[in-house]
């Protein structure tokens, strides 16, 4: 089928609790109305199997009917209710909410012994009870970015969502953090992060010019306190933020700003798209997780497309020093890198698998 975009989004999780990961695959433009679908393939002793696969659409089981919604644009897996089975968050960022076109919504499909249970679903929009901000607004595309992590240390995963938030000069950006509970994700008591909140450390001049703060999200335990921390960046602004987790969840009072200018790497570059993808992983098997930030283009400032992309790896010492244990910067042409010497503008670091 033309423009199927099969595999535009992927997520892995143990949706049936059998100890083997399963695979969710998002596709867009499946219908003439620009809707989308998600296919679920389950793990087995022999690997992924087609038998027993499931097919999800936004029109199933009481969810809002499909249409120009881009259902499956982003996927995220996590155990939101603590039953030891992963659940699946499916974004439909172009969905109409009320009369607001492309306000966006996120559908939650919960795991069960038989896999994803399509009869038990939850729909989250900006007008859901307890959500911060100004409610559902046209063209704010809730769910254009998502990540999961246990931000309050209660052994249930939480979900962070991006929405564009319109400003005078364009999309500014905001992030909503919803916390897991014994039954489902809670919209009441969620944390609201607004790029224009004076408590959020941002480069305001650049933010108003470019925006999209939160369009890159990641999570990991960067201070080794047993709670994940939230990484918030943009594709374009040359800076990002880390908000540290606590027993009460994400705290605005505990944050660090990351500036491209402050990292040794190759220095700030015009059009580098620093922060295109962000994440965290324990790469050396000890201490806090490492913070990983990509930029798509490296090179001279007057010729931003002469490079191939790069990856910054920060080894945190503690919450006050995100480079306390070291720093590394890699490009496709770094010594020892297989495939070195390719053409410029490779956009190396377009995505991360963590």
């Amino acid at each position: 089928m033309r423009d199927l975009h099969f595999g535009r989004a992927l997520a892995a999780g143990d949706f049936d609790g059998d100890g083997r990961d399963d695979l969710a695959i998002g596709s867009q433009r499946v219908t003439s109305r620009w809707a989308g679908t998600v296919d679920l393939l389950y793990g087995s002793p022999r690997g992924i199997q087609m038998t027993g696969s499931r097919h999800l659409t936004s029109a199933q089981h009481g969810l809002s009917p499909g249409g120009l919604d881009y259902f499956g644009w982003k996927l995220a897996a996590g155990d939101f209710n603590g039953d030891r089975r992963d659940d699946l968050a499916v974004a439909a960022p172009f969905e109409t909410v009320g009369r607001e076109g492309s306000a966006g919504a996120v559908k939650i499909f919960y795991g069960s012994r038989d896999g994803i249970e399509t009869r038990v679903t939850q729909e989250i929009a900006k007008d859901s009870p307890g959500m911060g901000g100004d409610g559902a607004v046209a063209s704010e595309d809730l769910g254009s970015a998502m990540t999961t992590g246990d931000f309050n240390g209660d052994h249930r995963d939480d979900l962070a969502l991006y929405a564009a938030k319109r400003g005078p000069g364009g999309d500014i950006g905001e992030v909503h953090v919803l916390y897991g509970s014994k039954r489902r994700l809670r919209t009441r008591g969620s944390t609201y992060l607004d790029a224009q909140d004076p408590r959020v450390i941002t480069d305001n001049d650049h933010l108003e010019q470019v925006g999209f703060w939160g369009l890159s999200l990641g999570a990991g335990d960067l201070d080794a306190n047993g709670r994940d921390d939230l990484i918030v960046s943009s594709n374009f602004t040359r800076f990002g933020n880390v908000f540290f987790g606590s027993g009460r969840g994400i705290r605005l009072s505990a944050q660090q700003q990351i500036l491209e200018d402050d990292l040794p790497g190759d220095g700030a570059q015009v059009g580098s798209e620093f922060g295109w993808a962000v994440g965290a992983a324990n790469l050396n098997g000890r201490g806090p997780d490492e913070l990983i930030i990509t930029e798509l283009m490296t090179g001279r400032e007057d010729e931003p497309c002469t490079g191939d992309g790069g990856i910054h790896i920060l080894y945190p010492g503690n919450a006050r020093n995100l480079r306390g244990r070291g720093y590394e910067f890699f490009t496709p042409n770094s010594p020892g890198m297989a495939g070195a010497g390719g053409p410029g503008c490779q956009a190396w670091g377009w995505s991360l698998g963590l």
Side-chain angles (χ1 to χ4, degrees):
M1 183 179 293
R2 184 179 179 183
D3 292 336
L4 177 60
H5 290 193
F6 180 76
R8 171 62 177 75
L10 298 170
D14 185 5
F15 302 124
D16 54 9
D18 67 353
R20 305 179 185 96
D21 279 337
D22 313 307
L23 181 63
I25 306 169
S27 305
Q28 288 80 47
R29 299 186 186 178
V30 172
T31 73
S32 60
R33 299 180 62 194
W34 293 58
T37 64
V38 175
D39 291 285
L40 294 163
L41 306 178
Y42 290 91
S44 75
R46 296 184 177 181
I48 287 292
Q49 58 182 354
M50 303 299 111
T51 304
S53 63
R54 296 189 181 182
H55 186 70
L56 305 177
T57 71
S58 56
Q60 289 174 326
H61 303 288
L63 293 174
S64 299
L68 180 59
D69 56 13
Y70 263 38
F71 178 82
W73 179 261
K74 292 290 184 180
L75 304 174
D79 184 5
F80 304 132
N81 55 10
D83 66 355
R84 299 184 180 180
R85 302 180 182 98
D86 285 324
D87 313 306
L88 182 66
V90 180
F94 291 176
E95 180 163 318
T96 296
V97 178
R99 296 183 178 181
E100 303 295 326
S102 296
V106 176
K107 331 287 186 167
I108 310 298
F109 296 84
Y110 287 90
S112 74
R113 184 186 308 174
D114 299 319
I116 288 297
E117 181 54 79
T118 57
R119 292 178 299 172
V120 182
T121 58
Q122 178 183 9
E123 183 164 350
I124 297 166
K126 283 186 60 180
D127 61 358
S128 298
M131 293 282 280
D134 48 6
V137 177
S139 301
E140 291 202 344
D141 308 335
L142 179 70
S144 295
M146 302 192 294
T147 195
T148 60
D150 183 7
F151 302 121
N152 56 10
D154 67 352
H155 305 293
R156 303 181 186 95
D157 284 323
D158 312 309
L159 178 65
L161 306 172
Y162 163 82
K165 187 183 180 182
R166 296 294 181 180
D171 296 339
I172 300 298
E174 64 186 16
V175 177
H176 302 260
V177 183
L178 285 65
Y179 298 99
S181 73
K182 290 183 179 180
R183 292 187 58 197
R184 55 173 51 194
L185 283 168
R186 296 180 288 113
T187 55
R188 297 187 187 276
S190 59
T191 299
Y192 176 59
L193 303 173
D194 178 355
Q196 294 180 307
D197 187 326
R199 296 173 295 173
V200 174
I201 305 170
T202 58
D203 180 348
N204 287 320
D205 291 339
H206 201 190
L207 182 68
E208 290 176 1
Q209 294 172 14
V210 181
F212 298 103
W213 182 81
L215 194 53
S216 301
L217 295 173
D221 187 1
L222 302 177
D223 55 1
N225 70 349
R227 305 177 183 97
D228 285 326
D229 312 305
L230 178 63
I231 309 159
V232 181
S233 188
S234 163
N235 300 160
F236 309 106
T237 56
R238 299 191 194 175
F239 74 88
N241 301 77
V242 172
F243 297 90
F244 293 94
S246 72
R248 295 184 178 182
I250 293 298
R251 298 175 294 165
L252 275 76
S253 60
Q255 63 177 294
Q256 287 285 324
Q257 187 182 45
I258 309 157
L259 294 170
E260 184 182 13
D261 291 353
D262 292 342
L263 299 179
D266 59 344
Q269 304 290 334
V270 172
S272 69
E273 296 178 358
F274 174 82
W276 183 272
V278 296
N282 198 323
L283 301 175
N284 57 15
R286 61 182 185 274
D289 289 341
E290 283 72 57
L291 173 59
I292 305 167
I293 306 169
T294 76
E295 60 177 272
L296 294 192
M297 301 178 191
T298 59
R300 299 193 305 272
E301 187 166 341
D302 59 339
E303 294 184 32
C305 207
T306 57
D308 307 301
I311 294 182
H312 305 261
I313 302 178
L314 287 69
Y315 295 81
N318 52 51
R320 294 185 177 182
N321 188 351
L322 293 174
R323 288 192 285 143
R325 294 185 300 122
Y327 168 85
E328 294 180 291
F329 178 72
F330 297 102
T331 75
N333 296 308
S334 293
M337 185 71 69
C345 291
Q346 293 186 49
W348 193 69
W350 182 276
S351 62
L352 295 170
L354 300 171

